[in-house]
Amino acid sequence: MLRGLCLALAGRGCVVTVIARSHKKLASLAAQADPASTIHPLSADYTDLGQLATAVRMAAAARGPFALAVCWVHAPSADVVRAVADLIADDSRPPIMVHVLGSSSADPTGPSLRVAGLDLRRDIVCRRVCLGFVVERWGSRWLTDAEICDGVLGACESESAENTVGTVTPWEKRP
């Protein structure tokens, strides 16, 4: 779902490393990218913190320190998000870390899915993005891939620590 974000960032001249578990999806992304772009697919199981650390360190060694990291991982994600923050942290030039959360993070009856302490760190700039839904005249719907990518890209460029794509209220209207 963040394929468009990766392509947009690469199209803007950013060096983009994409870490994912699916070799097939990474190959498809690399094939879709402009040959002049700088998308570097890196296959690793990010739920294995050792594999994740190796992948992030390899990417940083090959292409330099991270300026931006977008993390969208499925539950349980707190350990993965904390690990990425630790791996990209830089006191001299804090990178931006965008933590993407599904709409369930806004469920007023559910547990908090926020990773505690990220916004207190001085060695990263933490932003959160909650993916909501769209209320239309005849009902509601989930966000499209394009809306998700545009919203996450907006959060990357925003100064706001908390961002919502679509809406999460009224909660009862979600699809």
Side-chain angles (χ1 to χ4, degrees):
M1 288 185 180
L2 291 181
R3 172 184 299 265
L5 175 68
C6 297
L7 295 169
L9 289 171
R12 292 178 176 193
C14 297
V15 176
V16 179
T17 298
V18 181
I19 299 173
R21 294 182 284 188
S22 170
H23 299 284
K24 185 177 177 181
K25 288 181 181 179
L26 286 170
S28 171
L29 173 62
Q32 187 178 354
D34 182 315
S37 75
T38 52
I39 291 184
H40 303 278
L42 189 54
S43 181
D45 181 355
Y46 56 79
T47 64
D48 178 326
L49 298 182
Q51 274 191 42
L52 176 65
T54 299
V56 172
R57 287 185 185 118
M58 284 175 48
R63 291 174 276 290
F66 286 82
L68 171 69
V70 177
C71 297
W72 187 3
V73 294
H74 300 285
S77 68
D79 290 342
V80 174
V81 173
R82 261 191 222 95
V84 171
D86 291 342
L87 289 161
I88 68 166
D90 185 340
D91 286 322
S92 62
R93 195 186 75 172
I96 296 168
M97 180 167 170
V98 179
H99 183 198
V100 181
L101 296 160
S103 64
S104 61
S105 67
D107 182 347
T109 64
S112 174
L113 299 177
R114 299 173 67 159
V115 178
L118 285 184
D119 38 4
L120 301 175
R121 296 181 66 155
R122 296 185 184 274
D123 53 359
I124 61 168
V125 176
C126 183
R127 300 204 178 114
R128 285 182 196 82
V129 181
C130 178
L131 303 177
F133 51 92
V134 177
V135 177
E136 297 179 322
R137 184 174 178 186
W138 305 110
S140 62
R141 63 173 176 80
W142 295 117
L143 299 166
T144 65
D145 287 353
E147 290 167 334
I148 291 169
C149 291
D150 289 346
V152 174
L153 184 58
C156 291
E157 297 169 341
S158 169
E159 295 290 322
S160 177
E162 299 290 333
N163 301 271
T164 301
V165 182
T167 188
V168 292
T169 58
W171 183 249
E172 302 76 41
K173 295 275 187 181
R174 72 192 183 284

